[in-house]
Amino acid sequence: MSKQQRTAIEPTREQNYAEWYQQVIKAADLAENSEVRGCMVIKPWGYAIWENIQKVLDGMFRETGHRNAYFPIFIPKSYFEKEAEHVEGFAKECAVVTHSRLEPDGKGGLVAAGELSEPYIVRPTSETIIGASFAKWVNSYRDLPLLINQWANIVRWEMRTRLFLRTTEFLWQEGHTVHENYEDAMLETKKMLNVYADFAQNYLAIPVIQGEKTEGEKFPGAVNTYCIEAMMQDKKALQSGTSHFLGQNFAKSSGIKFQNREGESEFAWTTSWGVSTRLIGALIMAHSDDNGLVLPPKIAPSHLVIIPIFRSEEERTEVMKLAEEIQAELKNCYFEDIRIYTELDDRDLTSSERNWYWIKKGIPLRIEIGPRDVASGTVMLARRDKEPRDKVPVPVTELKTAIVSTLSGIQASIYQKALSFRDENIVRIDDHQEFYKFYTPKNANQPEIHGGFAFSPWCGSVACEEKIKTDLKVTVRCIPFENQLEDGKCVCCGQDSKLRVIFAKSY
């Protein structure tokens, strides 16, 4: 590879997408594998992204009337057994606590002791344990709706793990609500899906498709599962949020009853919905390039870095004076109601080394200040969504205005790029052979790269869904809310179809 073609991240996306993803995480210093199998250590820059996700979503939840609570990480096994479909769906992923302590084994080691009368499941999801509390909190229709959210960690014993996308332990939020009737619960389910779609598109700059999961893909125990699906740069789908209409299933298993307006006792209607640190994986795969992480400004931990350049102590004094003045002026500056955070990097490294450090971390803007800039009253401004060496001079007197407008421009530009990529790679396919060809890798060395999303007819048969999954590792990602009702012939069996759905390979 020539010097002109060299990138900060190797291999590139085209060479090995899976390894590129891992190298972006490493170069941006987001996270690392821990000593516990399948678990990760989220490092400060990565955790700051999660904190911003949490802060924005938490505000959106509060605006829709939800309040935060916290429930135990340990769930009695008997609680899971109350809802048969639920326990079957999670049984293979559960970590189980069977003993309460360790004791010396007399050989210098330790053995488990204090066997529990009932094992505890380490929380894979909280419907059952939260339902036990809700059964005590809800007595009358006057107690409804009950709108609760929990920020927590989750444990699911995954066989194959990948940082942020699929780990044994991960962070998430899970909303749980109780309602008086079907209509209110269904309204809540779809409202929260819209909240996720709004957040994904307007903050993460990731376009999503809203729709319903098939019977085979829905949440265990739910009546209906709705989702937002996003396309990554390898054209795979990433489920980026789900909202579940649980009907009365969990209310019946947990005993959540209330006295209705006629004075009669009836079971409540419940919902649950959640997103996780998987969203950081979505950010990486939707926007980043072969030079590292690319962050939408609305979710970035810091928005710009000031890089002073000097060779002597005299130059240092004058350059640092301007750098610190700029940082102070931006201290209480906002763009689109978001406070602008700055970094001042005067480490004993070359300006090139410092530039590339921040490029790889995805900071949206970089400002370079040298002695000539001080003399001319200008600074050099570089955008992360442009080529690394693409810099423009900006007068210091106009810098604040330029930064505010540029950050908004970057946010819009990143979204538009992702939207164009997705739309270019959604293809209407009606023919069986064309469908199978679409999902056959064109490059044997890069099997993860394939066609994209197929918007195709499906007869609704579980058998056809399973055959496509077995043959191609392709699933129905969702039955989209828009344009799904259309007569056609199923791309699997050729029988009459009334639905057009989104097919894709996925994470």
Side-chain angles (χ1 to χ4, degrees):
M1 183 179 286
S2 68
K3 187 174 183 180
Q4 287 75 21
Q5 295 174 312
R6 188 173 180 83
T7 57
I9 305 299
E10 294 181 6
T12 64
R13 288 164 291 180
E14 185 177 348
Q15 291 168 339
N16 187 328
Y17 190 87
E19 182 58 26
W20 165 84
Y21 173 80
Q22 301 289 352
Q23 292 304 317
V24 170
I25 292 173
K26 182 178 180 181
D29 208 25
L30 298 177
E32 63 187 19
N33 290 306
S34 81
E35 298 303 312
V36 180
R37 182 205 166 278
C39 294
M40 61 179 169
V41 175
I42 306 177
K43 302 177 83 171
W45 192 251
Y47 196 75
I49 295 171
W50 176 245
E51 286 180 312
N52 283 346
I53 291 172
Q54 185 177 23
K55 179 173 67 176
V56 175
L57 276 174
D58 201 63
M60 297 173 88
F61 297 158
R62 289 186 68 85
E63 286 293 318
T64 47
H66 302 82
R67 294 297 179 263
N68 291 332
Y70 187 80
F71 299 86
I73 191 172
F74 301 116
I75 303 173
K77 184 168 74 73
S78 59
Y79 282 32
F80 262 77
E81 293 169 341
K82 292 177 182 178
E83 217 295 324
E85 188 177 344
H86 189 66
V87 70
E88 183 180 352
F90 283 101
K92 294 180 180 178
E93 298 177 346
C94 287
V96 185
V97 178
T98 58
H99 291 75
S100 65
R101 65 183 184 274
L102 297 173
E103 292 181 352
D105 64 0
K107 303 176 183 178
L110 296 169
V111 293
E115 185 173 357
L116 301 176
S117 58
E118 179 180 2
Y120 288 121
I121 311 298
V122 183
R123 176 175 52 213
T125 183
S126 298
E127 279 75 10
T128 55
I129 190 72
I130 290 178
S133 290
F134 284 179
K136 292 182 287 185
W137 297 357
V138 173
N139 296 293
S140 164
Y141 71 89
R142 296 183 181 88
D143 299 323
L144 303 175
L146 179 59
L147 308 176
I148 298 295
N149 177 64
Q150 171 175 240
W151 293 96
N153 62 336
I154 288 295
V155 173
R156 293 180 184 171
W157 215 257
E158 300 283 358
M159 297 304 295
R160 299 178 63 186
T161 60
R162 191 180 300 192
L163 291 172
F164 292 115
L165 296 178
R166 197 172 291 278
T167 50
T168 300
E169 180 192 17
F170 55 92
L171 305 179
W172 82 345
Q173 61 74 211
E174 50 181 322
H176 295 270
T177 67
V178 187
H179 302 269
E180 189 176 352
N181 52 51
Y182 168 94
E183 291 78 13
D184 289 350
M186 182 58 77
L187 184 66
E188 166 78 6
T189 307
K190 293 186 176 179
K191 177 199 294 182
M192 298 319 294
L193 189 73
N194 285 331
V195 167
Y196 289 152
D198 179 14
F199 174 74
Q201 295 180 157
N202 293 313
Y203 286 87
L204 303 183
I206 298 175
V208 296
I209 297 172
Q210 297 187 56
E212 183 175 358
K213 287 291 188 184
T214 65
E215 189 70 21
E217 292 285 325
K218 73 178 184 181
F219 178 76
V223 177
N224 306 93
T225 288
Y226 302 98
C227 62
I228 55 173
E229 295 286 332
M231 182 185 288
M232 303 295 98
Q233 289 182 80
D234 62 349
K235 304 175 189 175
K236 281 188 177 182
L238 185 72
Q239 180 179 286
S240 301
T242 50
S243 186
H244 314 292
F245 173 68
L246 304 178
Q248 294 178 305
N249 291 349
F250 285 89
K252 289 177 179 178
S253 64
S254 298
I256 308 173
K257 293 182 177 180
F258 68 98
Q259 188 178 60
N260 65 22
R261 295 171 191 269
E262 288 73 44
E264 299 171 344
S265 178
E266 66 174 277
F267 287 106
W269 301 77
T270 65
T271 80
S272 67
W273 30 272
V275 296
S276 73
T277 37
R278 168 177 276 214
L279 290 178
I280 298 177
L283 276 175
I284 297 166
M285 293 197 294
H287 303 312
S288 300
D289 59 25
D290 294 335
N291 287 320
L293 187 64
V294 173
L295 288 172
K298 284 187 177 181
I299 216 70
S302 293
H303 301 94
L304 66 92
V305 59
I306 302 168
I307 300 175
I309 303 169
F310 47 80
R311 296 183 218 176
S312 66
E313 194 59 36
E314 182 180 353
E315 288 181 349
R316 175 187 171 88
T317 299
E318 62 181 9
V319 169
M320 286 300 294
K321 181 175 182 294
L322 179 56
E324 289 167 354
E325 287 174 354
I326 291 171
Q327 187 176 41
E329 186 178 7
L330 295 172
K331 189 171 184 180
N332 294 306
C333 189
Y334 290 76
F335 82 100
E336 300 186 29
D337 297 324
I338 294 172
R339 182 177 174 181
I340 295 175
Y341 287 95
T342 65
E343 305 280 347
L344 177 54
D345 189 352
D346 63 344
R347 291 176 296 166
D348 187 18
L349 298 169
T350 67
S351 61
S352 177
E353 288 172 324
R354 284 176 285 159
N355 258 297
W356 280 105
Y357 174 85
W358 291 103
I359 288 169
K360 289 185 286 187
K361 290 182 82 70
I363 201 162
L365 287 174
R366 306 186 313 282
I367 296 174
E368 291 184 3
I369 307 173
R372 291 182 182 178
D373 301 311
V374 175
S376 65
T378 63
V379 297
M380 300 303 292
L381 186 65
R383 295 169 52 150
R384 179 61 184 88
D385 61 329
K386 302 291 185 181
E387 288 298 312
R389 293 172 180 81
D390 187 2
K391 304 169 187 177
V392 295
V394 179
V396 173
T397 55
E398 301 173 13
L399 185 58
K400 183 188 288 188
T401 301
I403 287 170
V404 170
S405 63
T406 304
L407 287 172
S408 293
I410 293 172
Q411 183 79 26
S413 174
I414 290 175
Y415 176 77
Q416 189 56 51
K417 182 179 179 181
L419 179 63
S420 297
F421 178 83
R422 186 200 70 179
D423 289 350
E424 289 165 5
N425 290 287
I426 299 178
V427 182
R428 288 174 64 96
I429 300 177
D430 296 87
D431 179 73
H432 173 84
Q433 290 186 339
E434 185 183 350
F435 182 87
Y436 269 65
K437 183 180 178 181
F438 186 68
Y439 286 112
T440 302
K442 298 176 179 62
N443 183 351
N445 296 323
Q446 185 66 301
E448 291 193 354
I449 303 295
H450 64 93
F453 287 10
F455 190 35
S456 299
W458 171 57
C459 64
S461 160
V462 174
C464 286
E465 188 178 9
E466 286 298 317
K467 179 169 175 52
I468 290 172
K469 185 176 181 178
T470 301
D471 291 349
L472 302 172
K473 297 182 180 178
V474 168
T475 55
V476 178
R477 300 315 306 153
C478 69
I479 304 166
F481 292 152
E482 297 181 357
N483 305 317
Q484 84 278 29
L485 296 177
E486 184 178 325
D487 290 340
K489 299 292 184 181
C490 177
V491 288
C492 183
C493 67
Q495 298 299 309
D496 288 346
S497 164
K498 298 292 183 183
L499 284 177
R500 190 173 285 270
V501 302
I502 297 290
F503 287 96
K505 294 184 179 180
S506 68
Y507 286 95

